[in-house]
Amino acid sequence: MSLFHNHDHAGHDHSGHGHDGHHHGHHYHGESSGSAAFPWRRGMLAALLIAFAVAAASLVQVRSGEATVITRFGNPSRVLLEPGLSWRWPAPFEAAIPVDLRLRTTSSGLQDVGTRDGLRIIVQAYVAWQVQGDADNVQRFMRAVQNQPDEAARQIRTFVGSALETTASSFDLSSLVNTDASQVRISEFENQLRQQIDQQLLTTYGVRVLQVGVERLTLPSVTLNATVDRMRAERETIATERTAVGKREAAQIRSAAERDARIVEADATVKAADIEAQSRVEAAQIYGRAYAGSPQLYNLLRSLDTLGTIVTPGTRLILRTDAAPFKVLVDGPPTLDSSQTPTGKTGSQP
């Protein structure tokens, strides 16, 4: 700035021509300096903007629950699985395609399938699936359905429909619909259905099956009538079996009771015989002692015993009253002589 001022002072001319020439030279010098500086700055700014645009176009953000496939001229080159920022070549060299790894659920819809015993059922199953989170399976999913989850769900429904037909043919209707809960094998049906589709979906689409379940199971009218008839027959069979079991148990109880009664009766008979024998022995002993003490009394008691034996409420007898055993009723009991010995013989005093 000082050089410019000195030059202006030294070249100062009071003449009009010199003054006009000086100012003309001064204005030309300022315009040439500004024109030279502005394109350089504008070029730097443009370069920075281009560099920023290229850097922004080269950044790729991988979100949680997604994988990003980097394609080079339309062909998959690598897969980014870790969430965060990564680099790629800008378009058109490379492009980034996000692939959803979240859990999805697909329903098979109502399927009319046949059971092993020749009956029809209407069953609907669901499949919980997701793209396997590794590079090979993500690329497999890209190639199979071009990263379209709806198309994948449509094709999975086709797989499940075929698997339902195959799986149902391995089960009887009574294993799927039954009033006895212990006979129902729905869990086995679901496990077998999953085995039918698990490996196929993984190798074909890169999809991992997390759960398979029966969502709905109904019966057509023909099958329903057959099922009702079968259930009625089963109930009747069970009722017949239980009736037979009850009769058999009742017969066993009755037989055991009769056997126990015979045993008790036999034991009572034996005991009664023993008691009767013992009583006869005791009675004989009593009769013996009575005869030894008073023969007339003994004869009287024996006569009465004989009379009680032969005379019953329905017996009619005509007997002499002066003869035994009625003689005692007329004469009365004999009197004992004080001189008579216990043996029934008289004796004298010495």
Side-chain angles (χ1 to χ4, degrees):
M1 197 65 192
S2 60
L3 292 176
F4 180 77
H5 176 73
N6 292 336
H7 172 74
D8 184 46
H9 179 75
H12 181 71
D13 191 354
H14 292 281
S15 62
H17 178 75
H19 181 78
D20 293 339
H22 171 74
H23 283 283
H24 177 74
H26 172 72
H27 288 291
Y28 177 79
H29 180 73
E31 290 177 0
S32 63
S33 300
S35 299
F38 182 73
W40 179 81
R41 292 178 181 177
R42 186 168 55 185
M44 288 293 294
L45 180 60
L48 288 175
L49 291 176
I50 293 173
F52 179 79
V54 170
S58 300
L59 285 176
V60 178
Q61 182 181 5
V62 182
R63 295 182 176 87
S64 178
E66 291 183 351
T68 300
V69 178
I70 304 299
T71 60
R72 183 172 298 171
F73 300 109
N75 297 319
S77 61
R78 66 185 187 277
V79 179
L80 305 178
L81 300 173
E82 296 296 328
L85 294 177
S86 185
W87 290 92
R88 66 172 175 85
W89 289 103
F93 301 102
E94 289 185 344
I97 302 176
V99 178
D100 195 345
L101 302 180
R102 292 175 298 179
L103 183 67
R104 293 177 177 270
T105 303
T106 300
S107 176
S108 67
L110 293 175
Q111 302 287 329
D112 188 345
V113 296
T115 60
R116 184 169 55 188
D117 49 356
L119 298 174
R120 308 298 296 182
I121 61 173
I122 298 176
V123 62
Q124 179 174 340
Y126 70 90
V127 180
W129 59 276
Q130 65 180 164
V131 180
Q132 184 75 7
D134 59 84
D136 292 338
N137 285 301
V138 170
Q139 293 188 25
R140 187 175 291 116
F141 183 77
M142 285 282 298
R143 290 191 297 267
V145 295
Q146 286 74 45
N147 193 29
Q148 297 181 15
D150 293 339
E151 177 63 20
R154 187 188 68 80
Q155 298 188 25
I156 288 174
R157 282 195 293 270
T158 303
F159 270 93
V160 175
S162 300
L164 280 173
E165 185 71 36
T166 304
T167 304
S169 63
S170 302
F171 291 83
D172 294 331
L173 180 62
S174 59
S175 300
L176 303 176
V177 180
N178 204 309
T179 55
D180 186 359
S182 62
Q183 300 295 326
V184 178
R185 299 165 56 194
I186 293 295
S187 297
E188 297 181 21
F189 183 92
E190 293 173 343
N191 291 335
Q192 186 168 334
L193 179 61
R194 178 173 180 174
Q195 293 174 4
Q196 291 281 337
I197 65 175
D198 197 354
Q199 192 61 35
Q200 290 182 348
L201 293 182
L202 183 62
T203 56
T204 305
Y205 301 98
V207 167
R208 180 166 60 101
V209 176
L210 299 180
Q211 187 176 2
V212 175
V214 174
E215 190 173 359
R216 184 179 178 185
L217 194 152
T218 59
L219 302 176
S221 58
V222 175
T223 304
L224 181 60
N225 295 333
T227 302
V228 171
D229 294 338
R230 176 182 57 80
M231 290 182 176
R232 183 182 297 111
E234 289 179 352
R235 294 294 97 188
E236 291 176 354
T237 301
I238 293 173
T240 302
E241 291 177 352
R242 291 183 178 177
T243 302
V245 170
K247 290 182 177 179
R248 184 171 61 250
E249 292 179 352
Q252 293 175 352
I253 294 172
R254 189 180 300 109
S255 176
E258 292 175 355
R259 184 184 65 249
D260 295 341
R262 288 193 298 269
I263 294 174
V264 171
E265 185 179 1
D267 292 341
T269 302
V270 172
K271 292 180 179 179
D274 292 341
I275 294 172
E276 184 178 2
Q278 184 66 28
S279 65
R280 291 181 182 275
V281 172
E282 294 177 356
Q285 293 175 353
I286 293 172
Y287 285 144
R289 288 195 298 269
Y291 181 77
S294 178
Q296 291 82 2
L297 180 60
Y298 175 77
N299 291 331
L300 175 62
L301 293 176
R302 293 298 292 172
S303 298
L304 293 176
D305 289 340
T306 302
L307 185 62
T309 301
I310 64 176
V311 177
T312 63
T315 303
R316 292 182 179 181
L317 295 176
I318 301 175
L319 299 174
R320 292 174 55 184
T321 58
D322 58 347
F326 300 103
K327 188 175 189 292
V328 296
L329 298 177
V330 178
D331 298 340
T335 57
L336 294 177
D337 190 357
S338 62
S339 63
Q340 188 176 11
T341 62
T343 57
K345 297 180 180 180
T346 58
S348 62
Q349 296 293 331

